[in-house]
Amino acid sequence: MADIAFLLLIFYLVSTTMNVDSGLQRMLPPYIDPSEQQQTNKVNKRNTLLVFVDAHDRLMVQSQIAQVEDLNGIVKEFILNPQDREDMPEKVMEKIDLIGEYPVGKGLVSLQNDRATSYDMYMRVQNELVRAFNELRDDLAADKFGRKFDELSDDEKKAIQTAIPLRISEAEPRDMTGGKK
């Protein structure tokens, strides 16, 4: 009886698959020695879109109240800077394989939230930010290759990702409520 139970246990261990948790895909910044940090933290203010969610789930973009539904359009305009405005991100012409010369923006979306921000609001903001970048990539892929981003080859995807890099920075959450929720 013990042998059969042991064999069944082994069978279930071998044949069962474990669920793998999936989370937000974010690339962490490289480690910077604190003594060198002051020199490398120089990001031009015009290249940063500040997005903040407070403890009451209010969204602020560049210190202006905004709606989550509007965030997608705001981010897309910021990243593309179609009118080459001086208060929006700089662009640098880069030679990208399969695309050629393309103006790559230096835009960075900086997201910060209060510790008391609801998880639902946090995820809604995250989804809108990523959706904006995905739509920009889909548009460029359709323009350059005639297909959506997901349908491209690995080399074509790499070219589109180089042209429109996903730059979302998450700052340490603030505690604006004094520890009370």
Side-chain angles (χ1 to χ4, degrees):
M1 186 73 111
D3 290 343
I4 293 173
F6 182 69
L7 287 173
L8 284 173
L9 178 65
I10 296 296
F11 172 76
Y12 286 119
L13 287 174
V14 170
S15 63
T16 303
T17 59
M18 299 291 182
N19 289 339
V20 178
D21 290 336
S22 60
L24 299 173
Q25 293 184 4
R26 294 286 179 268
M27 183 177 295
L28 296 175
Y31 172 76
I32 299 173
D33 186 4
S35 63
E36 299 173 12
Q37 191 168 6
Q38 289 180 346
Q39 299 168 2
T40 58
N41 276 349
K42 296 177 182 171
V43 176
N44 193 336
K45 191 174 185 176
R46 76 181 258 191
N47 292 335
T48 306
L49 179 70
L50 300 173
V51 178
F52 178 70
V53 183
D54 71 8
H56 304 288
D57 289 347
R58 290 181 298 221
L59 176 67
M60 296 185 71
V61 179
Q62 300 291 62
S63 301
Q64 301 291 322
I65 298 287
Q67 300 299 315
V68 175
E69 297 79 23
D70 301 330
L71 188 57
N72 183 329
I74 293 168
V75 170
K76 286 166 68 171
E77 182 179 351
F78 178 80
I79 296 300
L80 287 179
N81 188 7
Q83 290 89 27
D84 289 325
R85 291 176 28 190
E86 293 293 322
D87 61 334
M88 296 186 99
E90 303 168 277
K91 297 180 191 176
V92 177
M93 291 301 286
E94 288 188 24
K95 177 131 177 68
I96 301 172
D97 291 340
L98 304 176
I99 294 178
E101 291 285 322
Y102 189 81
V104 177
K106 293 184 175 183
L108 166 76
V109 178
S110 177
L111 174 61
Q112 188 171 23
N113 61 288
D114 189 278
R115 289 191 190 281
T117 301
S118 71
Y119 185 73
D120 178 58
M121 182 62 166
Y122 174 77
M123 289 308 300
R124 286 177 55 206
V125 169
Q126 279 283 347
N127 288 340
E128 287 301 311
L129 294 176
V130 173
R131 186 173 74 126
F133 281 94
N134 288 342
E135 287 178 6
L136 289 173
R137 287 177 174 177
D138 275 342
D139 293 346
L140 184 60
D143 183 46
K144 297 294 182 181
F145 303 112
R147 298 185 306 270
K148 287 192 167 202
F149 180 77
D150 292 338
E151 300 168 357
L152 300 178
S153 70
D154 289 341
D155 290 338
E156 292 169 334
K157 283 182 180 179
K158 186 176 178 184
I160 297 295
Q161 289 170 336
T162 302
I164 303 176
L166 179 65
R167 291 188 181 128
I168 300 175
S169 168
E170 291 189 56
E172 180 74 22
R174 294 184 196 175
D175 189 3
M176 302 298 286
T177 60
K180 298 175 186 173
K181 188 170 182 179

